[in-house]
Amino acid sequence: MKETDRKFSVWEHLEELRRRLLFAVIGLVICVTLSFFFTEKVILFLSNPVGGLENLQAIEVTENVSVYMKVALLSGFTISLPWIFFQLLKFVIPGLTKTERRWLILSIPFATILFLLGVAFAFYVMLPSALPILTQFLGINTTIRVKSYVDFITNLMFWIGVSFELPLIVFILARLGLIRAKTLISGWRYAIIAIAIMAALITPTVDPVNMAIFMLPLILLYLLSILLAKFAQK
């Protein structure tokens, strides 16, 4: 009898997971559909660092359409993230303690804020300083393709946004007892090396100024991570 109940409970959880995933997909489809109404404005906004769409060119017949579709999908996915997270929370929360629920719910807005700060830093600070170097390297003016430009800035903003999640990740690991503030303090040299390598991989240019622009906030975020780790241990 117990074995039958256990199997039924597993199927019940799988059914709940299926429902939550279905709701998440429905929300994603709705948001992507709505994003088609303002995708052109998003593309215009993304083209500001290069002076507008008139400074971008397409060399393939379907290039403009593919860029439009990609931006629409990315915009819809971004808008639907709160709804997707909500569905995941509805599935996970019943199995958590009150303390775990509280920390999980509090971590979501902080994760969102940190990611948006990283995206804003990439768009308003890094791109204006990196694009002139990239497009005028060796004194040669570059004709920018709209597809390569959109791929470039979306990848840059995404990865820098992810890197800004460092304090929250450290805080969660410290809460779980997997890392301590003393370890972070004693390993600051290795952290600087890791940040430099990350900056070299993510920064679009090999210019040390742009690397320094990216490294400085990451170092400050590392120091913030140490403070959060101490707080989490208490």
Side-chain angles (χ1 to χ4, degrees):
M1 183 66 178
K2 290 183 179 179
E3 184 179 356
T4 304
D5 292 340
R6 181 178 62 80
K7 289 183 178 180
F8 178 77
S9 178
V10 170
W11 283 111
E12 202 171 40
H13 286 304
L14 291 176
E15 177 62 22
E16 177 66 14
L17 177 61
R18 187 191 68 82
R19 287 180 64 250
R20 295 302 167 190
L21 290 177
L22 178 61
F23 289 154
V25 171
I26 292 174
L28 175 62
V29 172
I30 293 174
C31 290
V32 170
T33 302
L34 293 176
S35 70
F36 279 95
F37 293 98
F38 55 84
T39 297
E40 186 174 352
K41 294 182 179 180
V42 174
I43 296 175
L44 287 172
F45 175 76
L46 293 176
S47 66
N48 285 334
V50 291
L53 287 178
E54 60 272 15
N55 292 322
L56 298 175
Q57 295 188 6
I59 62 174
E60 296 177 4
V61 176
T62 60
E63 187 169 346
N64 294 338
V65 176
S66 64
V67 168
Y68 189 92
M69 294 295 295
K70 178 176 182 177
V71 174
L73 291 173
L74 288 175
S75 301
F77 176 73
T78 303
I79 296 172
S80 66
L81 279 179
W83 173 254
I84 294 174
F85 282 136
F86 174 74
Q87 295 302 321
L88 293 177
L89 284 176
K90 292 284 287 184
F91 176 73
V92 173
I93 279 180
L96 302 177
T97 64
K98 290 183 178 180
T99 303
E100 290 171 338
R101 292 178 187 178
R102 184 173 68 250
W103 285 112
L104 180 61
I105 293 174
L106 288 175
S107 66
I108 292 177
F110 281 106
T112 304
I113 292 172
L114 288 172
F115 182 80
L116 292 177
L117 285 175
V119 170
F121 175 79
F123 189 81
Y124 291 106
V125 179
M126 290 202 67
L127 279 174
S129 62
L131 284 174
I133 298 175
L134 291 172
T135 57
Q136 299 176 9
F137 190 72
L138 296 179
I140 302 174
N141 290 326
T142 302
T143 300
I144 307 174
R145 287 182 57 186
V146 60
K147 182 179 183 302
S148 63
Y149 174 75
V150 170
D151 290 343
F152 170 73
I153 63 172
T154 52
N155 288 334
L156 181 68
M157 290 190 295
F158 173 77
W159 286 112
I160 293 181
V162 169
S163 67
F164 269 57
E165 301 288 342
L166 176 63
L168 183 62
I169 295 173
V170 171
F171 178 81
I172 294 173
L173 293 177
R175 285 290 299 176
L176 296 174
L178 300 177
I179 196 170
R180 298 181 63 83
K182 290 183 178 180
T183 305
L184 296 174
I185 295 173
S186 61
W188 68 269
R189 296 178 182 84
Y190 302 103
I192 296 297
I193 295 174
I195 290 173
I197 295 174
M198 185 183 303
L201 293 175
I202 297 178
T203 304
T205 71
V206 294
D207 177 34
V209 176
N210 282 298
M211 287 185 60
I213 290 174
F214 181 53
M215 288 180 63
L216 180 59
L218 283 186
I219 293 173
L220 295 177
L221 289 172
Y222 184 78
L223 297 176
L224 177 61
S225 301
I226 296 175
L227 295 177
L228 289 177
K230 287 186 176 181
F231 176 74
Q233 290 170 199
K234 295 179 181 181

